[in-house]
């Protein structure tokens, strides 16, 4: 039987901490999105940020420590009175790669045949990522609706983005 020092167990088992971690939300001020265009969502209010590595101005999170991370996002999409919306896609985007098979995305199709009024729906995605200390993660959203010249909105305090370390780099 081999004895393993406690420091080695901590190193191989993930360190016993889920830091760094962060959580941010979109404030009660909505962010405008254009029809059929991927837009980086700016989560402008930090809830938690253990290492001060989330940037509210760019919407990018850089972990600062290599590891395996659980990342999640929810986007609340609102269509104002009049236009019907058809579909939406949320992307958790690593290193600004955009809509690729290496990033997690959730799509939803919805057809609303109403004559007026507003509609609000939420999109959620989560993924486990292996991140280096200088990798970045952001959330993008794309919606399509009738009335291509109009803009719609995301946010209203119901749009979240966060993550935490599960283990040291594998």
């Amino acid at each position: 039987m081999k004895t393993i020092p406690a420091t080695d167990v901590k190193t191989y088992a993930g360190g016993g901490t889920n830091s760094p971690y962060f959580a941010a939300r979109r404030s009660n001020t909505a962010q405008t999105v254009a029809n059929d265009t991927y837009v980086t969502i700016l989560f402008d209010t930090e809830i938690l940020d253990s290492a001060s590595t989330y940037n509210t101005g760019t919407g990018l999170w850089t972990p600062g420590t290599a590891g395996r991370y659980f990342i999640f996002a929810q986007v609340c999409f609102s269509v104002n009175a009049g236009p019907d919306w058809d579909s939406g896609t949320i992307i958790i985007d690593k290193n600004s790669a955009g809509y690729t098979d290496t990033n997690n995305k959730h799509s939803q199709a919805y057809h609303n045949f109403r004559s007026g009024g507003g509609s609000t729906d939420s999109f959620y995605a989560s993924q486990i990522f292996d991140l280096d200390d200088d990798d970045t993660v952001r959330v993008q959203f794309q919606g399509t609706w009738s009335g291509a010249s109009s803009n719609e909105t995301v946010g209203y305090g119901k749009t979240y983005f966060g993550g935490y370390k599960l283990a040291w780099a594998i």
Side-chain angles (χ1 to χ4, degrees), residues 33-54:
V33 295
N35 189 14
D36 201 19
T37 303
Y38 284 99
V39 175
T40 299
I41 305 304
L42 300 179
F43 299 85
D44 57 359
T45 304
E46 286 185 323
I47 300 168
L48 302 167
D49 191 356
S50 68
S52 299
T53 53
Y54 177 72

Side-chain angles (χ1 to χ4, degrees), residues 25-31 44-45 154-158:
R25 70 176 181 87
R26 180 74 199 166
S27 67
N28 290 330
T29 304
Q31 179 179 337
D44 57 359
T45 304
V154 298
Y156 299 107
K158 301 173 188 168

